[in-house]
Amino acid sequence: MTDVDALVIGGGQAGLAAAHALRRDGFEPVVLEAGAEPVGSWPSYYDSLSLFSPARYSSLPGLPFPGDPDRYPRRNEVVDYLRRYAKLLVDESAVDIRARHRVETVHSGGTSFEVRTTDGQRVRARVLIAATGSFGRPYRPELPGLDSFTGVVLHAAEYREPTPFAGQRVVVVGAGNSAVQLGAELAAHARVTLATRKPVAVVPQRPLGRDVHFWSTALGIDAAPIGHLLANPPHPPVLDLGRYRAALAAGRPDQRRVFTAVDGHRVTWPDGTREHVDTIVLATGYRPDLPYLAGIGALGEDGRPRQRRGLSTTHPGLGFVGLEWQRSLASATLRGVGRDARHLVRLLRRTRR
């Protein structure tokens, strides 16, 4: 058994931000990362992914995102940035980051938490921050007849690039940024429909010549701590520099309401028409990936943490960073996790005095 001051589970953007906040507050954190390096799930995202916020609004505390501040960084740039950030924490702040340490279970001992990894190691800490994000738990909604579909069903988490789908009939389910981005990319290689429950809401990325994140920051909307007030947070609109509105207008992809039935390879649309479909891609989001906390009563029946603004409502000393709408609309983003981590660490300090 190893005793540590504070333990962070997850070494992606949320976990690194949490480690930074803990170190600044006088803690000596240890970070356990399941992967080979502390870059979170970013290497597993689809190849063409780019941030929806400019580089100037996409930094963790203490290290500005390099290069042109007005560009939209690509996936591999984010991976490189997180590598540099982790190295900075280790070299300058002496944060202990341990890769290839997947947490299997957490036990609560009243004033401390005992964490066991898949290789049998045990670590005990009085302060525990869960920062494992949601990529490991893709959300697959119940759709009419989907279980009987004999084609290929994959979640956006499994998608990498469009060439394997060349010439296919593809349905992308979802109405968010990723769904529209994947639909437009696939439409250059296949015949694609974007299947949604509601019309896609597309808004300009740069109203009045400035990125929308400039306006949300200037007006205080981006950091407003309103997440806990929303029982059903609104679905964010699709941010567009013009490409996606043009693609949807041209029917590449076209838009329809979600199918009403599936029979083998054939789907039925709300107007009664039926057609052959090869692949269905679920761009339907994710849910918090926290299975290691299931045994201590820290999660609700739906697997979501019982928390308020990141602080557990069931276990003193337990906190979360990186949850969607944890405190603000930016809580699950590079630009938002640092603010949330600072706020959480202040609260945790009070609970452990």
Side-chain angles (χ1 to χ4, degrees):
M1 174 78 72
T2 302
D3 287 289
V4 303
D5 191 24
L7 188 65
V8 179
I9 303 177
Q13 61 193 35
L16 296 178
H20 180 274
L22 285 165
R23 198 71 187 91
R24 289 195 61 181
D25 203 66
F27 288 92
E28 297 181 5
V30 171
V31 179
L32 301 184
E33 163 58 32
E37 57 180 334
V39 293
S41 300
W42 280 95
S44 300
Y45 293 141
Y46 52 93
D47 295 350
S48 63
L49 177 66
S50 60
L51 294 181
F52 300 110
S53 57
R56 71 168 73 247
Y57 301 110
S58 303
S59 299
L60 295 175
L63 184 64
F65 209 104
D68 180 0
D70 291 320
R71 81 187 194 289
Y72 300 91
R74 302 291 293 269
R75 179 199 66 183
N76 288 348
E77 293 180 85
V78 177
V79 173
D80 289 340
Y81 172 79
L82 292 175
R83 287 186 183 126
R84 290 195 296 273
Y85 195 85
K87 188 175 187 303
L88 185 70
L89 289 180
V90 172
D91 292 347
E92 297 188 9
S93 300
V95 173
D96 184 356
I97 300 177
R98 304 176 186 179
R100 294 188 172 91
H101 282 65
R102 180 177 294 278
V103 171
E104 185 173 50
T105 59
V106 172
H107 296 281
S108 175
T111 61
S112 64
F113 301 91
E114 182 182 322
V115 172
R116 184 185 295 271
T117 62
T118 53
D119 61 357
Q121 296 189 48
R122 294 186 300 163
V123 184
R124 183 166 54 203
R126 296 182 68 242
V127 168
L128 178 66
I129 295 180
T132 42
S134 59
F135 187 79
R137 191 184 170 202
Y139 175 57
R140 301 173 184 268
E142 294 184 6
L143 297 172
L146 185 62
D147 290 344
S148 66
F149 183 60
T150 53
V152 174
V153 179
L154 70 156
H155 193 276
E158 304 165 276
Y159 173 86
R160 292 297 175 269
E161 53 95 16
T163 54
F165 306 92
Q168 291 190 11
R169 180 70 176 99
V170 179
V171 174
V172 177
V173 179
N177 281 288
S178 294
V180 174
Q181 189 176 73
L182 295 187
E185 178 173 274
L186 283 164
H189 301 264
R191 190 161 67 91
V192 182
T193 289
L194 194 64
T196 66
R197 297 189 188 279
K198 298 179 180 180
V200 175
V202 179
V203 300
Q205 177 87 50
R206 299 182 64 85
L208 301 177
R210 303 297 294 267
D211 186 88
V212 67
H213 295 89
F214 165 83
W215 299 109
S216 63
T217 300
L219 296 172
I221 298 171
D222 198 65
I226 59 173
H228 67 291
L229 300 176
L230 302 173
N232 295 295
H235 193 79
V238 175
L239 301 177
D240 183 29
L241 291 168
R243 174 190 174 193
Y244 301 128
R245 188 181 297 275
L248 292 170
R252 296 175 59 83
D254 65 31
Q255 296 184 69
R256 306 186 194 186
R257 295 296 169 265
V258 175
F259 45 82
T260 58
V262 175
D263 180 15
H265 264 276
R266 300 180 71 82
V267 304
T268 302
W269 298 104
D271 63 2
T273 60
R274 303 175 70 228
E275 65 172 320
H276 176 98
V277 169
D278 298 296
T279 299
I280 296 175
V281 180
L282 302 175
T284 47
Y286 304 83
R287 296 293 184 267
D289 187 24
L290 303 162
Y292 47 84
L293 292 176
I296 64 172
L299 309 178
E301 293 182 0
D302 59 358
R304 296 179 185 272
R306 294 171 172 165
Q307 56 86 30
R308 180 178 173 83
R309 299 188 181 184
L311 189 67
S312 172
T313 57
T314 60
H315 291 74
L318 173 63
F320 304 88
V321 177
L323 302 174
E324 190 173 21
W325 283 97
Q326 178 171 311
R327 293 184 66 240
S328 71
L329 63 86
S331 283
T333 69
L334 274 167
R335 70 186 188 277
V337 288
R339 286 192 298 261
D340 283 8
R342 289 192 299 271
H343 175 80
L344 173 64
V345 169
R346 288 194 295 268
L347 296 179
L348 287 171
R349 173 65 74 182
R350 296 172 191 167
T351 68
R352 285 311 192 201
R353 282 178 177 171

